[in-house]
Short mmCIF file of all heavy atoms in Angstrom, two decimals:
data_model
loop_
_atom_site.label_atom_id
_atom_site.label_comp_id
_atom_site.label_asym_id
_atom_site.label_seq_id
_atom_site.Cartn_x
_atom_site.Cartn_y
_atom_site.Cartn_z
N ALA A 111 138.89 153.24 53.92
CA ALA A 111 139.43 154.62 53.78
C ALA A 111 140.73 154.67 52.99
O ALA A 111 141.16 155.75 52.56
CB ALA A 111 139.65 155.22 55.18
N ILE A 112 141.36 153.49 52.79
CA ILE A 112 142.64 153.49 52.06
C ILE A 112 142.37 153.79 50.57
O ILE A 112 141.48 153.19 49.97
CB ILE A 112 143.30 152.09 52.20
CG1 ILE A 112 143.65 151.82 53.66
CG2 ILE A 112 144.55 151.99 51.35
CD1 ILE A 112 144.22 150.41 53.94
N ASP A 113 143.21 154.68 50.02
CA ASP A 113 143.08 154.94 48.59
C ASP A 113 143.47 153.66 47.81
O ASP A 113 144.58 153.16 48.00
CB ASP A 113 144.04 156.09 48.24
CG ASP A 113 143.96 156.46 46.75
OD1 ASP A 113 143.47 155.67 45.95
OD2 ASP A 113 144.42 157.57 46.43
N PRO A 114 142.58 153.13 46.98
CA PRO A 114 142.85 151.83 46.32
C PRO A 114 144.19 151.84 45.58
O PRO A 114 144.83 150.81 45.46
CB PRO A 114 141.67 151.67 45.37
CG PRO A 114 140.59 152.45 45.99
CD PRO A 114 141.21 153.61 46.71
N ILE A 115 144.63 153.00 45.10
CA ILE A 115 145.89 153.01 44.31
C ILE A 115 147.14 152.82 45.20
O ILE A 115 148.19 152.43 44.77
CB ILE A 115 145.99 154.30 43.45
CG1 ILE A 115 146.96 154.06 42.31
CG2 ILE A 115 146.44 155.50 44.28
CD1 ILE A 115 147.01 155.14 41.28
N LYS A 116 146.93 153.12 46.53
CA LYS A 116 148.05 152.88 47.47
C LYS A 116 147.84 151.59 48.31
O LYS A 116 148.61 151.32 49.19
CB LYS A 116 148.15 154.09 48.40
CG LYS A 116 148.56 155.37 47.67
CD LYS A 116 148.95 156.44 48.65
CE LYS A 116 149.52 157.63 47.87
NZ LYS A 116 150.11 158.65 48.79
N ASP A 117 146.80 150.84 48.00
CA ASP A 117 146.41 149.67 48.80
C ASP A 117 147.23 148.45 48.39
O ASP A 117 146.68 147.51 47.77
CB ASP A 117 144.91 149.45 48.59
CG ASP A 117 144.41 148.13 49.17
OD1 ASP A 117 144.88 147.80 50.27
OD2 ASP A 117 143.59 147.47 48.48
N VAL A 118 148.52 148.45 48.73
CA VAL A 118 149.42 147.40 48.27
C VAL A 118 149.16 146.04 48.95
O VAL A 118 149.76 145.03 48.51
CB VAL A 118 150.90 147.85 48.33
CG1 VAL A 118 151.20 148.85 47.25
CG2 VAL A 118 151.24 148.39 49.72
N ASP A 119 148.34 146.02 49.95
CA ASP A 119 147.92 144.71 50.56
C ASP A 119 146.77 144.16 49.74
O ASP A 119 146.46 142.96 49.93
CB ASP A 119 147.45 144.93 52.03
CG ASP A 119 148.48 144.44 53.01
OD1 ASP A 119 149.32 143.62 52.64
OD2 ASP A 119 148.41 144.86 54.19
N GLY A 120 146.13 144.96 48.90
CA GLY A 120 145.00 144.48 48.11
C GLY A 120 143.76 144.10 48.87
O GLY A 120 142.98 143.26 48.46
N PHE A 121 143.56 144.79 50.02
CA PHE A 121 142.39 144.46 50.87
C PHE A 121 141.19 145.35 50.63
O PHE A 121 140.09 145.06 51.12
CB PHE A 121 142.79 144.55 52.36
CG PHE A 121 143.82 143.54 52.80
CD1 PHE A 121 144.51 143.75 54.01
CD2 PHE A 121 144.09 142.39 52.06
CE1 PHE A 121 145.45 142.80 54.43
CE2 PHE A 121 145.01 141.46 52.52
CZ PHE A 121 145.70 141.66 53.71
N HIS A 122 141.37 146.48 49.94
CA HIS A 122 140.23 147.39 49.67
C HIS A 122 139.22 146.69 48.78
O HIS A 122 139.62 146.02 47.82
CB HIS A 122 140.75 148.67 49.06
CG HIS A 122 139.68 149.74 48.93
ND1 HIS A 122 138.72 149.69 47.98
CD2 HIS A 122 139.45 150.83 49.70
CE1 HIS A 122 137.91 150.76 48.12
NE2 HIS A 122 138.36 151.43 49.17
N PRO A 123 137.95 146.88 49.04
CA PRO A 123 136.92 146.22 48.22
C PRO A 123 137.07 146.46 46.74
O PRO A 123 136.74 145.58 45.90
CB PRO A 123 135.59 146.83 48.73
CG PRO A 123 135.86 147.25 50.12
CD PRO A 123 137.35 147.61 50.17
N GLU A 124 137.60 147.64 46.36
CA GLU A 124 137.79 147.90 44.93
C GLU A 124 138.82 146.91 44.35
O GLU A 124 138.61 146.32 43.27
CB GLU A 124 138.24 149.33 44.71
CG GLU A 124 138.38 149.63 43.23
CD GLU A 124 138.70 151.09 42.92
OE1 GLU A 124 138.09 152.00 43.58
OE2 GLU A 124 139.54 151.34 42.05
N ASN A 125 139.91 146.70 45.07
CA ASN A 125 140.92 145.71 44.58
C ASN A 125 140.40 144.29 44.64
O ASN A 125 140.68 143.51 43.75
CB ASN A 125 142.21 145.91 45.35
CG ASN A 125 143.03 147.09 44.88
OD1 ASN A 125 143.22 147.26 43.67
ND2 ASN A 125 143.48 147.95 45.78
N VAL A 126 139.64 143.98 45.68
CA VAL A 126 139.08 142.61 45.82
C VAL A 126 138.14 142.39 44.65
O VAL A 126 138.15 141.29 44.01
CB VAL A 126 138.36 142.43 47.16
CG1 VAL A 126 137.76 141.03 47.24
CG2 VAL A 126 139.33 142.67 48.33
N GLY A 127 137.31 143.35 44.36
CA GLY A 127 136.32 143.21 43.26
C GLY A 127 137.02 143.10 41.92
O GLY A 127 136.68 142.24 41.07
N ARG A 128 138.07 143.89 41.70
CA ARG A 128 138.80 143.82 40.47
C ARG A 128 139.49 142.44 40.34
O ARG A 128 139.54 141.87 39.24
CB ARG A 128 139.85 144.96 40.39
CG ARG A 128 139.20 146.34 40.30
CD ARG A 128 140.25 147.41 40.24
NE ARG A 128 140.91 147.45 38.96
CZ ARG A 128 140.49 148.11 37.88
NH1 ARG A 128 139.41 148.85 37.95
NH2 ARG A 128 141.17 148.03 36.74
N MET A 129 139.99 141.93 41.44
CA MET A 129 140.60 140.59 41.42
C MET A 129 139.57 139.54 40.99
O MET A 129 139.83 138.72 40.13
CB MET A 129 141.15 140.21 42.79
CG MET A 129 141.64 138.77 42.89
SD MET A 129 142.04 138.31 44.57
CE MET A 129 140.51 138.47 45.39
N ALA A 130 138.38 139.66 41.57
CA ALA A 130 137.32 138.65 41.27
C ALA A 130 136.93 138.70 39.77
O ALA A 130 136.59 137.70 39.20
CB ALA A 130 136.10 138.90 42.16
N LEU A 131 137.03 139.94 39.20
CA LEU A 131 136.66 140.09 37.80
C LEU A 131 137.84 139.88 36.86
O LEU A 131 137.70 139.99 35.65
CB LEU A 131 136.09 141.50 37.56
CG LEU A 131 134.74 141.78 38.30
CD1 LEU A 131 134.39 143.25 38.17
CD2 LEU A 131 133.68 140.92 37.78
N GLY A 132 139.01 139.62 37.42
CA GLY A 132 140.20 139.42 36.60
C GLY A 132 140.75 140.66 35.99
O GLY A 132 141.38 140.63 34.94
N LEU A 133 140.46 141.83 36.60
CA LEU A 133 140.94 143.12 36.11
C LEU A 133 142.27 143.45 36.84
O LEU A 133 142.53 142.96 37.92
CB LEU A 133 139.92 144.23 36.41
CG LEU A 133 138.57 144.04 35.72
CD1 LEU A 133 137.55 145.03 36.26
CD2 LEU A 133 138.71 144.20 34.24
N PRO A 134 143.07 144.38 36.23
CA PRO A 134 144.33 144.77 36.87
C PRO A 134 144.06 145.28 38.30
O PRO A 134 143.16 146.06 38.49
CB PRO A 134 144.89 145.87 35.96
CG PRO A 134 144.22 145.66 34.67
CD PRO A 134 142.85 145.08 34.94
N CYS A 135 144.87 144.84 39.25
CA CYS A 135 144.65 145.24 40.64
C CYS A 135 145.88 144.82 41.44
O CYS A 135 146.77 144.17 40.94
CB CYS A 135 143.43 144.56 41.22
SG CYS A 135 143.59 142.76 41.26
N TYR A 136 145.92 145.22 42.69
CA TYR A 136 146.92 144.67 43.60
C TYR A 136 146.36 143.38 44.20
O TYR A 136 145.28 143.40 44.83
CB TYR A 136 147.22 145.66 44.74
CG TYR A 136 147.78 146.99 44.28
CD1 TYR A 136 147.07 148.14 44.51
CD2 TYR A 136 148.98 147.05 43.59
CE1 TYR A 136 147.57 149.37 44.11
CE2 TYR A 136 149.48 148.25 43.16
CZ TYR A 136 148.77 149.43 43.40
OH TYR A 136 149.26 150.61 43.01
N LEU A 137 147.04 142.28 43.99
CA LEU A 137 146.54 141.01 44.54
C LEU A 137 147.00 140.93 46.01
O LEU A 137 148.11 141.38 46.35
CB LEU A 137 147.16 139.84 43.77
CG LEU A 137 146.75 139.68 42.31
CD1 LEU A 137 147.48 138.48 41.69
CD2 LEU A 137 145.26 139.48 42.19
N PRO A 138 146.16 140.32 46.87
CA PRO A 138 146.61 140.17 48.24
C PRO A 138 147.88 139.34 48.32
O PRO A 138 148.04 138.35 47.58
CB PRO A 138 145.44 139.44 48.93
CG PRO A 138 144.55 139.04 47.85
CD PRO A 138 144.87 139.80 46.62
N ALA A 139 148.79 139.76 49.23
CA ALA A 139 150.18 139.27 49.16
C ALA A 139 150.33 137.77 49.31
O ALA A 139 151.13 137.15 48.59
CB ALA A 139 151.00 140.01 50.19
N THR A 140 149.60 137.17 50.24
CA THR A 140 149.84 135.76 50.50
C THR A 140 149.37 134.86 49.31
O THR A 140 150.16 134.08 48.77
CB THR A 140 149.20 135.31 51.83
OG1 THR A 140 149.78 136.11 52.87
CG2 THR A 140 149.45 133.84 52.15
N PRO A 141 148.16 135.05 48.86
CA PRO A 141 147.72 134.22 47.69
C PRO A 141 148.57 134.54 46.45
O PRO A 141 148.95 133.63 45.71
CB PRO A 141 146.28 134.64 47.43
CG PRO A 141 145.80 135.24 48.73
CD PRO A 141 147.03 135.83 49.40
N ALA A 142 148.95 135.82 46.29
CA ALA A 142 149.79 136.17 45.11
C ALA A 142 151.15 135.47 45.21
O ALA A 142 151.68 135.00 44.21
CB ALA A 142 149.97 137.68 45.03
N GLY A 143 151.70 135.40 46.43
CA GLY A 143 152.98 134.76 46.62
C GLY A 143 152.88 133.26 46.31
O GLY A 143 153.83 132.68 45.76
N ILE A 144 151.77 132.63 46.68
CA ILE A 144 151.57 131.20 46.39
C ILE A 144 151.48 130.97 44.88
O ILE A 144 152.14 130.06 44.34
CB ILE A 144 150.34 130.68 47.15
CG1 ILE A 144 150.54 130.73 48.67
CG2 ILE A 144 149.99 129.26 46.69
CD1 ILE A 144 149.31 130.51 49.47
N ILE A 145 150.74 131.84 44.22
CA ILE A 145 150.58 131.71 42.75
C ILE A 145 151.97 131.85 42.08
O ILE A 145 152.32 131.08 41.18
CB ILE A 145 149.64 132.81 42.21
CG1 ILE A 145 148.16 132.54 42.69
CG2 ILE A 145 149.72 132.99 40.72
CD1 ILE A 145 147.51 131.37 41.99
N GLU A 146 152.75 132.79 42.57
CA GLU A 146 154.09 133.02 42.01
C GLU A 146 154.98 131.77 42.18
O GLU A 146 155.73 131.37 41.32
CB GLU A 146 154.72 134.28 42.62
CG GLU A 146 155.96 134.75 41.97
CD GLU A 146 155.77 135.28 40.53
OE1 GLU A 146 154.70 135.76 40.17
OE2 GLU A 146 156.74 135.16 39.75
N LEU A 147 154.88 131.23 43.37
CA LEU A 147 155.69 130.02 43.70
C LEU A 147 155.29 128.85 42.79
O LEU A 147 156.15 128.14 42.26
CB LEU A 147 155.46 129.68 45.16
CG LEU A 147 156.44 128.75 45.86
CD1 LEU A 147 157.90 129.26 45.73
CD2 LEU A 147 156.09 128.58 47.32
N LEU A 148 153.98 128.63 42.62
CA LEU A 148 153.50 127.57 41.73
C LEU A 148 154.04 127.80 40.31
O LEU A 148 154.45 126.84 39.64
CB LEU A 148 151.94 127.53 41.71
CG LEU A 148 151.25 127.15 43.04
CD1 LEU A 148 149.75 127.35 42.91
CD2 LEU A 148 151.57 125.72 43.44
N LYS A 149 153.99 129.07 39.89
CA LYS A 149 154.44 129.39 38.51
C LYS A 149 155.88 129.09 38.36
O LYS A 149 156.33 128.47 37.39
CB LYS A 149 154.13 130.86 38.28
CG LYS A 149 154.42 131.31 36.87
CD LYS A 149 153.63 132.47 36.41
CE LYS A 149 154.13 133.79 36.87
NZ LYS A 149 153.29 134.92 36.54
N ARG A 150 156.74 129.56 39.34
CA ARG A 150 158.17 129.43 39.16
C ARG A 150 158.63 127.95 39.24
O ARG A 150 159.66 127.65 38.72
CB ARG A 150 158.86 130.28 40.22
CG ARG A 150 158.57 131.75 39.95
CD ARG A 150 159.68 132.66 40.33
NE ARG A 150 159.35 134.05 39.94
CZ ARG A 150 160.23 134.96 39.58
NH1 ARG A 150 161.49 134.65 39.54
NH2 ARG A 150 159.84 136.18 39.25
N TYR A 151 157.83 127.11 39.84
CA TYR A 151 158.18 125.68 39.92
C TYR A 151 157.39 124.88 38.87
O TYR A 151 157.45 123.65 38.86
CB TYR A 151 157.92 125.09 41.30
CG TYR A 151 159.07 125.36 42.28
CD1 TYR A 151 159.15 126.52 43.01
CD2 TYR A 151 160.07 124.38 42.47
CE1 TYR A 151 160.15 126.75 43.89
CE2 TYR A 151 161.09 124.59 43.36
CZ TYR A 151 161.15 125.77 44.09
OH TYR A 151 162.17 125.96 44.98
N ASN A 152 156.67 125.57 37.97
CA ASN A 152 155.87 124.90 36.93
C ASN A 152 154.99 123.82 37.48
O ASN A 152 154.90 122.74 36.93
CB ASN A 152 156.80 124.28 35.85
CG ASN A 152 157.54 125.31 35.10
OD1 ASN A 152 156.92 126.28 34.61
ND2 ASN A 152 158.86 125.17 35.01
N VAL A 153 154.37 124.09 38.60
CA VAL A 153 153.48 123.09 39.22
C VAL A 153 152.24 122.97 38.35
O VAL A 153 151.58 124.02 38.11
CB VAL A 153 153.12 123.49 40.69
CG1 VAL A 153 152.09 122.49 41.26
CG2 VAL A 153 154.37 123.53 41.55
N PRO A 154 151.87 121.78 37.94
CA PRO A 154 150.65 121.65 37.09
C PRO A 154 149.38 122.00 37.88
O PRO A 154 149.21 121.50 38.99
CB PRO A 154 150.64 120.16 36.73
CG PRO A 154 151.98 119.63 37.05
CD PRO A 154 152.53 120.49 38.17
N THR A 155 148.56 122.87 37.33
CA THR A 155 147.30 123.25 38.02
C THR A 155 146.06 123.03 37.16
O THR A 155 144.97 122.88 37.69
CB THR A 155 147.33 124.72 38.50
OG1 THR A 155 147.42 125.58 37.31
CG2 THR A 155 148.48 125.03 39.40
N VAL A 156 146.23 123.02 35.80
CA VAL A 156 145.09 122.98 34.94
C VAL A 156 144.27 121.69 35.16
O VAL A 156 144.80 120.58 35.08
CB VAL A 156 145.52 123.09 33.46
CG1 VAL A 156 144.29 123.03 32.53
CG2 VAL A 156 146.32 124.38 33.25
N GLY A 157 142.99 121.87 35.43
CA GLY A 157 142.07 120.75 35.59
C GLY A 157 142.22 120.04 36.94
O GLY A 157 141.52 119.04 37.19
N LYS A 158 143.11 120.51 37.79
CA LYS A 158 143.35 119.83 39.08
C LYS A 158 142.27 120.23 40.07
O LYS A 158 141.73 121.35 40.04
CB LYS A 158 144.73 120.21 39.65
CG LYS A 158 145.89 119.91 38.73
CD LYS A 158 146.08 118.44 38.55
CE LYS A 158 147.27 118.14 37.59
NZ LYS A 158 147.33 116.76 37.21
N HIS A 159 141.98 119.33 40.99
CA HIS A 159 141.04 119.64 42.11
C HIS A 159 141.83 120.22 43.24
O HIS A 159 142.70 119.56 43.82
CB HIS A 159 140.29 118.38 42.52
CG HIS A 159 139.37 118.61 43.63
ND1 HIS A 159 138.95 117.67 44.52
CD2 HIS A 159 138.66 119.73 43.99
CE1 HIS A 159 138.12 118.16 45.41
NE2 HIS A 159 137.91 119.43 45.11
N CYS A 160 141.52 121.44 43.59
CA CYS A 160 142.21 122.10 44.70
C CYS A 160 141.26 122.30 45.86
O CYS A 160 140.15 122.87 45.69
CB CYS A 160 142.75 123.45 44.19
SG CYS A 160 143.53 124.35 45.55
N VAL A 161 141.69 121.87 47.04
CA VAL A 161 140.91 122.10 48.23
C VAL A 161 141.62 123.18 49.06
O VAL A 161 142.80 123.03 49.40
CB VAL A 161 140.70 120.83 49.08
CG1 VAL A 161 140.14 121.12 50.44
CG2 VAL A 161 139.83 119.81 48.33
N VAL A 162 140.92 124.29 49.27
CA VAL A 162 141.45 125.37 50.11
C VAL A 162 140.83 125.22 51.52
O VAL A 162 139.59 125.18 51.63
CB VAL A 162 141.11 126.75 49.51
CG1 VAL A 162 141.67 127.86 50.41
CG2 VAL A 162 141.66 126.87 48.09
N ILE A 163 141.65 125.12 52.53
CA ILE A 163 141.14 125.01 53.88
C ILE A 163 141.22 126.38 54.52
O ILE A 163 142.34 126.89 54.76
CB ILE A 163 141.92 123.98 54.74
CG1 ILE A 163 142.12 122.67 53.95
CG2 ILE A 163 141.17 123.69 56.03
CD1 ILE A 163 142.94 121.62 54.70
N GLY A 164 140.07 127.00 54.79
CA GLY A 164 140.03 128.36 55.35
C GLY A 164 139.44 129.31 54.30
O GLY A 164 139.70 129.19 53.12
N ARG A 165 138.60 130.23 54.80
CA ARG A 165 137.93 131.15 53.88
C ARG A 165 138.18 132.61 54.31
O ARG A 165 137.32 133.49 54.07
CB ARG A 165 136.43 130.88 53.85
CG ARG A 165 135.78 131.01 55.26
CD ARG A 165 134.28 130.75 55.24
NE ARG A 165 133.84 130.47 56.60
CZ ARG A 165 132.65 130.02 56.91
NH1 ARG A 165 131.76 129.81 55.97
NH2 ARG A 165 132.32 129.82 58.14
N SER A 166 139.30 132.90 54.94
CA SER A 166 139.52 134.25 55.39
C SER A 166 139.65 135.19 54.17
O SER A 166 139.97 134.73 53.07
CB SER A 166 140.83 134.38 56.21
OG SER A 166 141.95 134.29 55.41
N HIS A 167 139.37 136.46 54.42
CA HIS A 167 139.39 137.46 53.32
C HIS A 167 140.80 137.72 52.83
O HIS A 167 140.97 138.22 51.72
CB HIS A 167 138.74 138.74 53.79
CG HIS A 167 137.30 138.61 53.98
ND1 HIS A 167 136.49 139.61 54.58
CD2 HIS A 167 136.44 137.59 53.71
CE1 HIS A 167 135.27 139.16 54.67
NE2 HIS A 167 135.18 137.97 54.11
#
Side-chain angles (χ1 to χ4, degrees):
I112 298 175
D113 182 341
I115 203 170
K116 294 193 173 187
D117 171 40
V118 287
D119 254 340
F121 294 164
H122 188 283
E124 183 174 317
N125 280 313
V126 178
R128 294 179 72 88
M129 172 187 63
L131 295 173
L133 298 170
C135 64
Y136 299 118
L137 295 177
T140 301
I144 294 169
I145 291 288
E146 191 65 30
L147 197 55
L148 294 172
K149 184 154 80 186
R150 295 212 175 211
Y151 277 86
N152 293 312
V153 176
T155 63
V156 179
K158 304 293 181 190
H159 178 208
C160 177
V161 170
V162 179
I163 313 177
R165 61 179 161 190
S166 75
H167 291 170

